Each structure stands twice: as structure tokens, then as C-alpha cells.
Amino acid sequence: MVLGVAIPISISCFIVPLVEERKYHLLMLQKMAGISMARYWCVNFLWDYATFFSHTIVYTIILALAPIEGYSFSDKMYAMLLMNIYGIPGLGLIYVLSLFFYWTMWSAFLITVIIQIITGIFSYLIYWDVLENNEIFFYIWSIFPTFSLMEGISNVYTQTKEELYCDQACMEDDDCDKYDMCAALPQCCLTSIFKFDDPGILLSICFMLTSAVFLFIALCLIESRRARKRFSSKKDVKSLHSATHPYDDDDVMKLKQFIAQQDLQSSLKKRFMVDQLEYEIQKTTNSLNTISFLAEE
């Protein structure tokens, strides 16, 4: 329960610098410096994942110090493994959300926390207590990484309680050997935690990694679509207007006339073409009024 709240809050913090970069146009400065979006997201992911890994170490230490009955050291390492795997789709979800919720840092943070809690601990409680382990709900909701994390950690705890129960049952049975418990107690033939059946964590790991792939593919598609939309020529090139001013010299006049005479076929051959950039700049901006230029391939 505690991890179901603490983990979403921790990973939601990573949206704050992303929103800050967009709000104060720091991302635009990086683009102007030549940083590609692929490199930008890769560097962000490596730094954020290293930071999140340090968070999981802290949570593991807290689990080690917490008096949880039957929770062995290996079980806490399994929980740490699940948290580290969760960091991959968790950061992917944060990156996708940062493309849409970037008005203010704290509103983006709160929205992200709410989304993670609703799709995580809240949905898992409904699945466990209200729907009583409904399989359809489980497979649909497992696409959310926080829900899969809750399922994996819950299975680790369930495995721990089953082992504790079997140890107590074996102690009460005179014919039971602790090292050959399966012969006397068939229901206690416990296997490794790395399995797809309950209580196992392989299904949760697969769902988290699958959601990570889809989230990063979605991130790439959204960024590529925005870049293509930003730099593509308008279909109606004739709607582009050129203006002249008394201070324009002969070279500027010729260039403006050349740009104004371009048709769609000629425009598409250029890497980019700009005409009257004042149409795109906010009126409160005084750093640049009008610019017209083109770049050959």
C-alpha cells in the first residue's frame, strides 16, 4: 500500500524539469544549439533512470528496516527488481504526459500523480476487493505499469505468506521433513517466484516491458508528427505573402520576390523556407520583426 503511493509520487517528480524546460523555452534553446530530439530523450532517460534507481535503493532499505513478518531479504530484492523494471515504462509514461500537460510545473505534477494512483493502487484495490480477481479487468488494466507493479509486489508477498504457512504446517506434522516438504504436504510444493502462474512475477514483468515498448513508440510517433507538421510546407503556397519595406536593399528585394514566386513543387525541394516570420512570432516579441530566407539542400 505504501509503495503504491510512494512510487507514483517519486516518478511523477520527473515531469517537473520537463515542463520547466518547455515553459521557459530551454528546450527551444537546446534545439537551436543542434540537439536532436532523439538525443534529448535518450539523455533524459539515462539520467532519470539513474536517479530513480537511487530512489529504489532507498525504498529497499526502508523495506529492510520495516518489521514485515516473513518478508525475507530475497523477497525484498524481488521487490527492488520489480521497482527498477517499473522505472522503464514509468518514465515512458511521464515523457508522454509531459507533451500534453505543460501549463505549469505543479499542475502537471498533480495530474501525473492522480493518473498514476488511479491506474495503480486504486484500480488494484477495485480488482482485488470489488471485482474479486476478474481476469478481463486484470488483462485490460495490466497495460498500465503501476497496476502491473502492484500485482508483482502483491505476488511476492503472497509467495512469502505461503512459504510461512507451509513452514508452520510442516512443524506441526511429525512426518514432514522441512527439506522434503512436498512429499508430506503436496500443496506446499513451492516453486520459484519467476513463473507466470500465481504467485509469480514474470507476467507482471512482461506487461511492464510491453507497455514500455508501446509508450516509447508513442513518444517517437508524437515527436516525429510534430516535427513533420512544424517543418512541412503549406499545401497552398500562394497563401504565403511577401511584403517590402523602404529600407530593403536590392538583394533583399530579389530574395523576397524569388520566395514569393515559388510554387509547391519548388518549395518541397528546399530543406526549409521562411517568409515573413512575423506571422509566427508573438506580438509581444521585439527581438525580431521580419525575416525571409531559404536554404538549398
Side-chain angles (χ1 to χ4, degrees), residues 61-80:
I61 294 175
I62 295 174
L63 284 175
L65 298 177
I68 304 177
E69 182 182 3
Y71 223 57
S72 64
F73 178 79
S74 60
D75 296 326
K76 294 168 184 177
M77 290 297 102
Y78 295 146
M80 181 179 179

Side-chain angles (χ1 to χ4, degrees), residues 23-42:
K23 180 180 179 181
Y24 296 107
H25 308 293
L26 300 178
L27 178 57
M28 181 61 66
L29 291 176
Q30 295 181 59
K31 290 181 179 179
M32 294 173 63
I35 301 297
S36 65
M37 293 308 298
R39 181 176 299 178
Y40 169 80
W41 287 117
C42 287

Side-chain angles (χ1 to χ4, degrees), residues 244-275:
T244 57
H245 301 279
Y247 53 80
D248 288 342
D249 56 24
D250 186 56
D251 293 336
V252 175
M253 288 287 297
K254 290 181 179 180
L255 181 59
K256 286 188 174 183
Q257 291 176 1
F258 179 75
I259 293 177
Q261 295 171 358
Q262 297 294 297
D263 56 11
L264 178 60
Q265 194 67 24
S266 301
S267 301
L268 294 176
K269 294 180 181 179
K270 305 296 186 298
R271 187 175 298 274
F272 58 90
M273 185 172 65
V274 179
D275 187 24

Side-chain angles (χ1 to χ4, degrees), residues 78-86 149 152-153 156 201 205 208:
Y78 295 146
M80 181 179 179
L81 173 64
L82 290 170
M83 286 187 287
N84 283 308
I85 295 175
Y86 163 79
L149 174 66
I153 293 179
V156 172
I201 61 175
I205 292 175
M208 286 191 286

Side-chain angles (χ1 to χ4, degrees), residues 29-164:
L29 291 176
Q30 295 181 59
K31 290 181 179 179
M32 294 173 63
I35 301 297
S36 65
M37 293 308 298
R39 181 176 299 178
Y40 169 80
W41 287 117
C42 287
V43 171
N44 266 296
F45 175 76
L46 292 176
W47 176 259
D48 292 343
Y49 189 79
T51 305
F52 182 76
F53 179 75
S54 64
H55 291 179
T56 62
I57 294 176
V58 174
Y59 291 140
T60 305
I61 294 175
I62 295 174
L63 284 175
L65 298 177
I68 304 177
E69 182 182 3
Y71 223 57
S72 64
F73 178 79
S74 60
D75 296 326
K76 294 168 184 177
M77 290 297 102
Y78 295 146
M80 181 179 179
L81 173 64
L82 290 170
M83 286 187 287
N84 283 308
I85 295 175
Y86 163 79
I88 302 174
L91 289 174
L93 179 61
I94 294 298
Y95 295 160
V96 172
L97 292 177
S98 69
L99 299 177
F100 301 98
F101 304 106
Y102 52 85
W103 306 292
T104 62
M105 293 178 288
W106 298 115
S107 64
F109 171 76
L110 290 175
I111 291 173
T112 307
V113 171
I114 292 172
I115 291 175
Q116 298 252 46
I117 290 179
I118 290 177
T119 59
I121 185 66
F122 180 75
S123 299
Y124 191 74
L125 289 176
I126 293 177
Y127 161 73
W128 187 264
D129 294 332
V130 179
L131 300 179
E132 297 181 352
N133 300 347
N134 184 279
E135 290 190 3
I136 298 176
F137 183 87
F138 170 78
Y139 285 107
I140 293 176
W141 231 250
S142 291
I143 62 175
F144 297 104
T146 313
F147 182 89
S148 296
L149 174 66
M150 293 294 98
E151 171 69 9
I153 293 179
S154 176
N155 284 345
V156 172
Y157 181 74
T158 302
Q159 175 88 351
T160 301
K161 299 302 289 184
E162 287 184 0
E163 291 176 355
L164 184 63

